[in-house]
Amino acid sequence: MPPLSVTQRAARAFVPVRAAIYAGRIPGAVLGLLGRDGRAVIAGGVAQKVPLARPMTEGTWFDLASLTKVLFTTPRILALAEAGHIDLDGPLTQLLPDLRQYDPAAWERRVSFRQCLGHLTAFPAVVPIYTYGRDPELLRAWVLQHEWIAGPPVYSDINFILLGLALERFFGMPIRTMAAGTGFSWAADPAVSAATEDCTWRGRVLSGEVHDDNTSALQGAGHAGLFGTADGLLDHAEGLLSGSGASGFVIRHIRAPLSDSRTHGWQRAHSGWSGGDAAPAETIGHTGFTGTGLWLDFAAGRAWCLLTNRIHPTRHFDSGIAELRRAVGDAVCAEA
């Protein structure tokens, strides 16, 4: 029996996506699949439900949320290490000397770049920084001087907010003025974007502007804020799979395990993860809160993205996104 084509695999993987749309669990989605025999992109559902309805298209722009961590922040931190500007195992104070500057013995001053990339620090998962004001520079100072309560290592936005601040210090400019990368941007045309939440504190349905509360208040951060399309993600993935889109140093590190579940920035395949049980051991991936995700299977030379607007018009709803991601991954990777 001949192997499935990329088009056939994409059609098979879109079956559970279509079922989720018809069941009302997600408004819409775009699935992109890249293989050695080409690529396929499939769209379904709507990009926006309220206050007006717009169809989802293959070229719809999405708020990529935490994919920013691996598409933007991680490769730039690794590039600084490759160039000798930082030591990955050295403390963040190499670029943020004022981190907890009033307490030289503070544990935060010993946290390394590598620990942040692998989510191996004692920082909490997330803190509502946006509730402390709207002045982005004041909020940056608050992040740097806040006495963080140490806990067990968890997946933490704080790790990448700090890495983003380190990039800002090195380059001498806010993240939102840095080049977002080919195929990506820091905002998008609302008319061609997937809407996210009807935001309670901004008082509007968000489309084309960042959903993440802390990124909005900071006016750019290292953990969220990037926008892109399925084709943009597949182009990026193709560069990583072929070795043409990043240096060997960067690619080795994003594949190198730091724990049972993580590499530098990315998740690695493990039991129960977002990429599904059929994904080969060398697969890496990452997800975004808005309902996005990207996975790279180096063994098969394959990548896929699932982009949904699962938090539109509210995050306070069980969309079943975790199960959907796994079902799509299994459909993409299964050989039978």
Side-chain angles (χ1 to χ4, degrees):
M1 185 175 179
L4 294 177
S5 69
V6 68
T7 302
Q8 290 171 320
R9 284 185 185 275
R12 181 173 70 178
F14 202 72
V15 170
V17 180
R18 185 177 292 110
I21 294 170
Y22 287 164
R25 300 186 74 84
I26 58 174
V30 180
L31 172 69
L33 176 60
L34 171 73
R36 292 193 173 107
D37 58 333
R39 69 173 62 182
V41 179
I42 306 175
V46 297
Q48 185 167 344
K49 293 166 56 177
V50 294
L52 53 85
R54 290 185 290 111
M56 190 73 77
T57 71
E58 296 173 1
T60 295
W61 282 76
F62 285 81
D63 180 338
L64 300 174
S66 283
L67 286 179
T68 305
K69 294 179 171 78
V70 294
L71 298 174
F72 180 85
T73 306
T74 293
R76 283 158 180 77
I77 290 293
L78 291 175
L80 292 185
E82 182 179 15
H85 297 302
I86 59 171
D87 174 2
L88 285 178
D89 292 311
L92 296 176
T93 52
Q94 292 172 87
L95 292 180
L96 299 173
D98 51 334
L99 176 61
R100 291 298 314 283
Q101 63 186 357
Y102 301 107
D103 182 1
W107 67 267
E108 298 95 330
R109 292 183 60 81
R110 299 189 297 275
V111 170
S112 73
F113 289 93
R114 196 187 308 274
Q115 287 173 319
C116 286
L117 288 170
H119 297 283
L120 299 172
T121 74
F123 290 110
V126 66
V127 167
I129 297 167
Y130 69 101
T131 64
Y132 289 85
R134 299 291 183 269
D135 182 333
E137 296 312 313
L138 183 61
L139 293 178
R140 280 167 170 75
W142 184 91
V143 169
L144 290 170
Q145 304 311 327
H146 183 67
E147 184 176 347
W148 297 96
I149 298 174
V154 295
Y155 172 75
S156 171
D157 282 352
I158 309 305
N159 290 322
F160 275 77
I161 289 174
L162 288 168
L163 291 176
L165 293 179
L167 289 176
E168 291 185 334
R169 288 291 180 83
F170 181 84
F171 291 107
M173 64 179 72
I175 278 182
R176 282 183 63 90
T177 64
M178 298 180 194
T182 303
F184 302 114
S185 70
W186 296 117
D189 181 350
V192 295
S193 299
T196 56
E197 199 163 19
D198 187 354
C199 180
T200 55
W201 66 275
R202 281 175 274 187
R204 59 184 177 273
V205 173
L206 304 177
S207 183
E209 65 175 300
V210 65
H211 170 264
D212 184 86
D213 300 308
N214 287 336
T215 303
S216 175
L218 288 163
Q219 295 180 20
H223 69 294
L226 212 60
F227 284 75
T229 64
D231 271 322
L233 286 171
L234 295 183
D235 287 344
H236 186 84
E238 188 171 26
L240 295 178
L241 291 173
S242 69
S244 64
S247 70
F249 179 93
V250 170
I251 293 174
R252 285 194 303 274
H253 279 73
I254 67 172
R255 298 182 65 184
L258 290 180
S259 68
D260 291 342
S261 61
R262 298 203 173 270
T263 70
H264 294 75
W266 294 76
Q267 272 196 319
R268 54 188 294 228
H270 61 278
S271 178
W273 83 308
S274 63
D277 293 333
E282 294 183 29
T283 309
I284 62 174
H286 208 283
T287 62
F289 182 78
T290 50
T292 60
L294 173 66
W295 298 265
L296 290 78
D297 175 356
F298 286 89
R302 178 185 298 140
W304 70 99
C305 63
L306 176 62
L307 306 176
T308 81
N309 49 352
R310 66 106 185 171
I311 61 169
H312 176 63
T314 177
R315 74 182 78 181
H316 306 293
F317 173 75
D318 181 13
S319 66
I321 190 66
E323 296 82 3
L324 178 58
R325 286 166 172 156
R326 288 175 46 76
V328 167
D330 286 338
V332 165
C333 296
E335 292 305 324

